[in-house]
Amino acid sequence: MTKSKISKLTISTDIEVYNSEKDLDKKDAVLLTEAKNILKNAYAPYSNFQVGAAALLDNGKTVTGNNQENAAYPSGLCAERVAVFYAGAQYPGVAINTIAISVKAKNVVIKEPLSPCGGCRQVIAEYENKYGKNIRIIMSGEKGKIYIAKSIESLLPLMFSKKYL
Ligand code: THU
């Protein structure tokens, strides 16, 4: 029998699970409320899926964003990226500490925490790497459990980053 040339790399990830908002630390609960409030201003006439994101910066400021859609679909942008890019534009030297994400859909109740899309993960990763500091990510649905990742690494293992360039 020939020895196999294939070995396996198993990747595990760590997410904290909270049963409800009441179990969150005060600061996290406040940030999540900001995300929930800003989703009301989402421009989502095509998907009817409103997302809000609130980013707490290391200078204590909070910047918020929501999804902005477009008739030419790919021209729109997710809530997380609106918030992260706004932070980058307004406070270029300031690291992001935590991002909270909230969601509301028109026709269904979202019972699972909303996990950022691949594009947003890559953007959050860029900002972690830019400042050399982890970004915590608080994910929530309209009801049910809340997830907290301590770093984008938990959501984007084997990420592409500037280290390859
Ligand atoms: N969306 C977000 O804003 N964030 C996510 O993490 C997932 C999806 C938006 C994009 C689009 O406007 C709508 O939700 C449906 O995909």
Side-chain angles (χ1 to χ4, degrees):
M1 216 167 54
T2 53
K3 218 174 160 191
S4 171
K5 288 180 184 157
I6 304 170
S7 64
K8 210 168 165 183
L9 170 67
T10 304
I11 298 169
S12 67
T13 196
D14 267 322
I15 307 275
E16 288 176 352
V17 180
Y18 293 77
N19 280 325
S20 90
E21 254 173 75
K22 291 184 205 108
D23 299 328
L24 294 177
D25 287 348
K26 180 85 204 297
K27 245 181 159 182
D28 288 343
V30 168
L31 196 65
L32 191 52
T33 300
E34 298 221 41
K36 203 176 283 184
N37 288 339
I38 202 69
L39 72 74
K40 293 172 191 140
N41 295 345
Y43 177 58
Y46 303 105
S47 70
N48 287 314
F49 190 85
Q50 297 178 298
V51 185
L56 174 66
L57 311 186
D58 269 1
N59 63 3
K61 298 227 186 288
T62 298
V63 299
T64 55
N66 42 45
N67 50 331
Q68 298 293 323
E69 296 185 349
N70 194 283
Y73 290 1
S75 302
L77 202 59
C78 292
E80 296 90 324
R81 267 179 280 178
V82 170
V84 168
F85 289 153
Y86 182 69
Q90 296 296 318
Y91 304 102
V94 185
I96 299 170
N97 183 282
T98 306
I99 298 173
I101 305 162
S102 187
V103 62
K104 185 160 178 33
K106 200 174 179 186
N107 301 317
V108 282
V109 177
I110 310 293
K111 294 182 193 135
E112 278 175 41
L114 182 74
S115 190
C117 80
C120 288
R121 291 176 198 211
Q122 187 65 36
V123 166
I124 294 168
E126 185 69 27
Y127 278 72
E128 270 203 8
N129 293 323
K130 180 179 178 192
Y131 297 115
K133 272 198 71 184
N134 287 0
I135 298 176
R136 296 171 66 248
I137 302 154
I138 304 172
M139 295 159 270
S140 72
E142 284 176 68
K143 53 195 287 187
K145 295 191 190 307
I146 291 166
Y147 292 167
I148 300 187
K150 290 203 169 117
S151 159
I152 196 65
E153 189 84 48
S154 304
L155 302 180
L156 196 61
L158 300 182
M159 69 177 76
F160 178 76
S161 73
K162 63 183 177 187
K163 77 175 181 222
Y164 293 104
L165 300 176

